[in-house]
Amino acid sequence: MRFSTPYHLGYDPSIRLLHENAEEAQYEVVISSATEERVYRTISLLSNTNIDSILGRGTRVWKSHRIENGVEIGEPVALKDSWVDASEGREGTTYANILASATDSKKLETLKKYLLTVVTHGDVFIGDVLDQTRLPPTTSNSLREHKGPVTPGSLIARQIHYRIVYEEVCESSLHSSSSLRHIFKALGDACICK
């Protein structure tokens, strides 16, 4: 441990703790897309469901502001930080593909109305190295590639650290809603995009 780098000890240099008070810690998070690098400052934590699960995605979502030259700009956004399976597509790319599938302007406007708006997204790099998990030599890269009996550790997929920023900030999740009206409206809205 003495000769390990902070990254090898579990510290992510693309997230910087600004200050930690009694209510909530505040961070500056770097998001690198294919064309640019942006910095966001967290305002409040929106979700951290199942972050303690060893096989989970470690997903956290913050209400955040974009930072330029040390100044907050624009309206608050939702910043999602998670680990995704390496063999799967990224949310931002899937969103772009869905919009590209619209056959006319009316369908495109309907999709934009019911889907969240992606501001930026990208895999997390530490220096020039992709931030990803390593697999033991006996594990398969994905469930689809797995052959033979299921054994502990045989279905663990390599994961990539990924971040995406959405323009819309949702204050609560569907599973925490006690209103059947809200739940069925959300389900109906999801069916429109299908």
Side-chain angles (χ1 to χ4, degrees):
M1 285 183 64
R2 182 177 178 178
F3 298 105
S4 295
T5 64
Y7 169 70
H8 288 106
L9 292 174
Y11 293 98
D12 181 352
S14 65
I15 296 181
R16 184 171 64 95
L17 177 64
L18 294 179
H19 56 78
E20 189 171 13
N21 59 29
E23 293 179 22
E24 194 168 341
Q26 189 175 30
Y27 302 93
E28 280 193 353
V29 181
V30 176
I31 302 199
S32 300
S33 70
T35 57
E36 65 182 336
E37 186 173 283
R38 293 183 179 185
V39 177
Y40 290 86
R41 183 175 296 149
T42 64
I43 300 168
S44 61
L45 185 65
L46 296 173
S47 174
N48 65 350
T49 306
N50 296 330
I51 60 166
D52 296 331
S53 172
I54 195 164
L55 295 177
R57 300 196 182 280
T59 303
R60 285 188 168 94
V61 181
W62 289 281
K63 183 176 183 178
S64 307
H65 262 115
R66 183 168 177 205
I67 301 297
E68 239 179 54
N69 300 320
V71 178
E72 294 179 357
I73 61 167
E75 294 296 315
V77 294
L79 186 159
K80 179 180 177 183
D81 179 274
S82 63
W83 290 83
V84 298
D85 290 344
S87 61
E88 300 298 324
R90 307 297 189 267
E91 281 180 58
T93 305
T94 301
Y95 174 81
N97 291 340
I98 290 170
L99 293 182
S101 73
T103 54
D104 59 49
S105 60
K106 184 178 177 184
K107 288 182 182 179
L108 179 62
E109 288 308 311
T110 300
L111 288 172
K112 285 183 177 182
K113 178 180 176 183
Y114 288 100
L115 295 174
L116 296 174
T117 308
V118 175
V119 175
T120 188
H121 69 103
D123 293 340
V124 176
F125 283 83
I126 307 302
D128 292 336
V129 179
L130 182 63
D131 193 16
Q132 61 185 325
T133 59
R134 296 183 194 163
L135 287 178
T138 59
T139 60
S140 171
N141 279 342
S142 76
L143 182 60
R144 281 176 280 207
E145 295 172 7
H146 181 71
K147 301 201 179 7
V150 175
T151 59
S154 65
L155 300 180
I156 299 172
R158 185 171 57 90
Q159 293 190 319
I160 307 292
H161 195 177
Y162 176 74
R163 293 188 181 126
I164 186 165
V165 176
Y166 292 104
E167 188 175 295
E168 298 83 7
V169 179
C170 304
E171 296 296 333
S172 65
S173 61
L174 187 59
H175 80 316
S176 65
S177 179
S178 59
S179 166
L180 286 176
R181 180 176 167 266
H182 290 131
I183 292 170
F184 282 112
K185 180 171 180 348
L187 291 172
D189 289 350
C191 290
I192 289 173
C193 291
K194 186 176 181 212

